[in-house]
């Protein structure tokens, strides 16, 4: 079973930037989709961005133009660059992978944006 470990969360002021990283515990190969979900306490999990091994990306409208998802297949890592952060981006961000062999989730990284 693959384990995903996130890093890079923390506190940032509105308008600032932050990068999240998520590394897999073993080679995950190709033919999969990696992405980031986020959840505000009391609200449903929300998809922020996804990326295929071919590099195709999708974004939720709320983050489009501000967030960029990327991945390094050789390092089995996916990144989320977040710019122009807003207080409403405050959430726990979860990394995930959807592969032919199954799915896995990270433990979550808290991102707090102060106004």
């Amino acid at each position: 079973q693959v384990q995903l470990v996130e890093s890079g969360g923390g506190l940032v002021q509105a308008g600032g930037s932050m990068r999240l990283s998520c590394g897999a515990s073993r080679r995950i190969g190709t033919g999969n989709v990696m992405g980031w979900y986020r959840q505000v306490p009391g609200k449903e999990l929300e998809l922020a961005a996804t990326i295929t091994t071919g590099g195709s990306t999708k974004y939720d409208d709320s983050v489009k133009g501000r967030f960029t998802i990327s991945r390094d297949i050789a390092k089995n890592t996916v990144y989320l660059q977040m710019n122009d952060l807003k207080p409403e981006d405050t959430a726990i961000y979860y990394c995930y992978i959807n592969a032919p062999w199954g799915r896995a989730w990270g433990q979550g990284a808290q991102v707090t944006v102060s106004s």
Side-chain angles (χ1 to χ4, degrees):
Q1 181 69 17
V2 170
Q3 291 186 336
L4 301 177
V5 179
E6 297 127 344
S7 61
L11 175 65
V12 65
Q13 288 188 333
S17 297
M18 183 179 290
R19 189 175 84 154
L20 301 179
S21 300
C22 172
S25 58
R26 64 168 177 82
R27 183 179 178 276
I28 54 176
T30 59
N32 58 69
V33 178
M34 294 191 79
W36 295 90
Y37 278 83
R38 62 184 185 177
Q39 187 170 32
V40 175
K43 295 190 177 181
E44 292 186 355
L45 202 60
E46 172 186 74
L47 179 64
T50 62
I51 185 168
T52 67
T53 48
S56 295
T57 59
K58 290 185 179 180
Y59 297 94
D60 184 80
D61 286 344
S62 64
V63 307
K64 203 173 291 183
R66 300 187 297 120
F67 289 11
T68 302
I69 188 170
S70 61
R71 63 188 293 178
D72 186 327
I73 293 176
K75 293 184 178 179
N76 303 305
T77 300
V78 64
Y79 306 96
L80 187 67
Q81 177 66 42
M82 304 182 288
N83 298 328
D84 189 24
L85 282 160
K86 303 177 180 181
E88 51 264 41
D89 294 318
T90 295
I92 299 174
Y93 285 71
Y94 296 92
C95 170
Y96 91 106
I97 182 169
N98 186 8
W101 43 261
R103 297 182 179 185
W105 291 85
Q107 81 283 2
Q110 176 69 49
V111 172
T112 302
V113 184
S114 63
S115 58

